[in-house]
């Protein structure tokens, strides 16, 4: 199911302050309110580890990406120079589309990957992904630059303290 959503916002001015205040209120803050920045090494998958395609790529390029891909998702970028993904396409969905023989409409297949500022909590990040019906979120630094991706499953495990 394609998620229609507003384009990702890359500005997070109020979030950083809000969670810093929460953490300074109590030393007994549970892991669910720790900002993602504390957990980056656990939750981040670097963008370069995902196969990437561009909106203008040909069927052949998309087919090659699907065949080489190790992960379940392929990141979609507007152009080769763009460093911020528009979203992602599930490998199986792209493969099925390619089997039809016609050139897939990549934008129709893209699920918008919500931006997750590293200053928000695990629970809030999980709520954002669930609300947007997304399996992946783009982790962004305080300037809004993409630093990696994280999955809903990893956040769910953290929220339940299984990681």
């Amino acid at each position: 199911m394609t998620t229609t959503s507003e384009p990702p916002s890359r500005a997070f001015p109020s979030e950083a302050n809000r969670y810093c205040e929460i953490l300074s209120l109590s030393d007994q803050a549970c892991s669910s309110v720790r900002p993602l920045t504390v957990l980056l090494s656990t939750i981040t998958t670097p963008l370069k580890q995902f196969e990437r395609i561009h909106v203008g790529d040909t069927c052949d390029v998309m087919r090659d990406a699907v065949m080489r891909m190790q992960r379940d998702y392929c990141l979609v970028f507007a152009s080769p120079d763009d460093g911020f993904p528009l979203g992602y396409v599930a490998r199986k969905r792209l493969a099925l589309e390619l089997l039809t023989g016609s050139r897939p409409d990549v934008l129709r297949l893209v699920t918008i990957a919500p931006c997750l500022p590293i200053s928000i909590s695990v629970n809030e990040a999980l709520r954002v992904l669930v609300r947007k019906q997304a399996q992946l979120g783009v982790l962004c630094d305080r300037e809004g630059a993409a630093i990696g991706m994280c999955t809903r499953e990893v956040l769910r495990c953290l929220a339940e303290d299984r990681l």
Side-chain angles (χ1 to χ4, degrees):
M1 168 190 233
T2 302
T3 302
T4 54
S5 170
E6 71 279 354
S9 168
R10 299 184 192 183
F12 313 110
S14 62
E15 293 291 329
N17 296 336
R18 189 169 68 137
Y19 287 99
C20 287
E21 288 169 12
I22 289 172
L23 289 174
S24 63
L25 292 177
S26 169
D27 290 337
Q28 299 175 1
C30 69
S31 65
S32 63
V33 296
R34 281 188 296 172
L36 296 181
T37 186
V38 174
L39 306 161
L40 280 180
S41 60
T42 307
I43 65 173
T44 305
T45 302
L47 296 182
K48 64 184 178 195
Q49 289 190 19
F50 288 90
E51 197 63 44
R52 73 187 272 163
I53 59 173
H54 312 111
V55 171
D57 280 343
T58 65
C59 270
D60 291 339
V61 171
M62 287 185 252
R63 193 171 288 111
D64 288 347
V66 168
M67 297 303 287
R68 284 193 316 258
M69 206 183 325
Q70 300 297 315
R71 297 190 176 271
D72 290 337
Y73 302 102
C74 182
L75 298 186
V76 178
F77 293 81
S79 69
D81 334 335
D82 196 6
F84 201 95
L86 296 173
Y88 63 90
V89 176
R91 178 182 183 195
K92 289 179 185 174
R93 189 160 188 221
L94 183 57
L96 287 172
E97 190 75 14
L98 286 165
L99 286 174
T100 65
S102 59
R103 184 178 187 278
D105 177 2
V106 178
L107 288 177
R108 182 177 57 78
L109 299 173
V110 170
T111 299
I112 302 296
C115 293
L116 302 173
I118 58 174
S119 57
I120 70 170
S121 70
V122 171
N123 281 345
E124 183 60 26
L126 187 54
R127 279 193 291 275
V128 168
L129 291 181
V130 169
R131 188 172 57 244
K132 301 289 185 176
Q133 299 176 352
Q135 295 300 317
L136 296 177
V138 180
L139 292 164
C140 298
D141 64 16
R142 293 183 186 197
E143 285 76 44
I147 58 175
M149 304 292 285
C150 83
T151 67
R152 190 193 302 186
E153 186 57 35
V154 166
L155 294 176
R156 187 177 293 122
C157 289
L158 280 169
E160 295 172 0
D161 288 322
R162 288 189 292 163
L163 200 62

